[in-house]
């Protein structure tokens, strides 16, 4: 993190748990943007001084429509933005939720519905 201070134009924060924003704001260049996509149970503390002195922006989005989602996917493909994920079958969902509650998750869970459904077809 120290080596990346002040180097990023933007950050997409998908964490749905309460976590400090100050380290993320420190990674942004002047005029950088932190976009909050996760929804924690409690409000974040927002360090105003870091925003004001670096002319930084914090914004959020619960979900975009089809157009915004396609734009995001096109941008990710163009810039080789990928995600580290853990693919789990449908019958693992309860275990995945237990792991989330214990903070025992390294990557975002993706439920493999396609293979789960095709495995149950006659």
């Amino acid at each position: 993190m120290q080596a990346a201070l002040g180097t990023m134009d933007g950050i997409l924060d998908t964490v749905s748990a309460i976590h400090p924003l100050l380290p993320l704001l420190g990674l942004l260049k002047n005029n950088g943007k932190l976009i909050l996509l996760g929804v924690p149970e409690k409000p974040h503390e927002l360090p105003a001084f870091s925003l004001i002195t670096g002319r930084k922006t914090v914004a959020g989005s619960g979900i975009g429509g089809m157009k915004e989602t396609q734009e995001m996917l096109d941008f990710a493909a163009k810039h080789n933005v990928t995600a580290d994920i853990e693919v789990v079958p449908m019958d693992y969902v309860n275990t995945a939720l237990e792991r989330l509650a214990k903070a025992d998750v390294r990557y975002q869970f993706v439920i493999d519905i396609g293979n789960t459904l095709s495995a149950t077809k006659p």
Side-chain angles (χ1 to χ4, degrees), residues 16-93:
S16 293
I18 194 71
H19 59 286
L21 298 181
L22 188 58
L24 298 177
L25 292 171
L27 296 174
L28 294 172
K29 295 177 182 175
N30 283 346
N31 299 309
K33 293 175 179 52
L34 173 61
I35 311 300
L36 303 176
L37 302 171
V39 183
E41 290 182 18
K42 297 179 183 174
H44 282 293
E45 286 187 27
L46 194 58
F49 185 77
S50 178
L51 293 173
I52 295 165
T53 58
R55 298 183 313 271
K56 297 172 184 174
T57 302
V58 175
S61 175
I63 188 165
M66 293 291 285
K67 180 178 180 261
E68 291 85 0
T69 301
Q70 188 60 57
E71 288 172 355
M72 181 271 308
L73 291 171
D74 293 343
F75 177 88
K78 178 179 177 183
H79 298 284
N80 197 30
V81 176
T82 62
D84 292 326
I85 61 170
E86 182 175 341
V87 179
V88 299
M90 190 65 157
D91 60 359
Y92 190 80
V93 169

Side-chain angles (χ1 to χ4, degrees), residues 81-115:
V81 176
T82 62
D84 292 326
I85 61 170
E86 182 175 341
V87 179
V88 299
M90 190 65 157
D91 60 359
Y92 190 80
V93 169
N94 288 335
T95 303
L97 289 172
E98 290 169 6
R99 286 182 55 200
L100 281 170
K102 294 178 191 174
D104 177 31
V105 179
R106 183 175 171 114
Y107 306 110
Q108 181 174 350
F109 284 124
V110 174
I111 303 167
D112 188 355
I113 295 174
N115 282 334

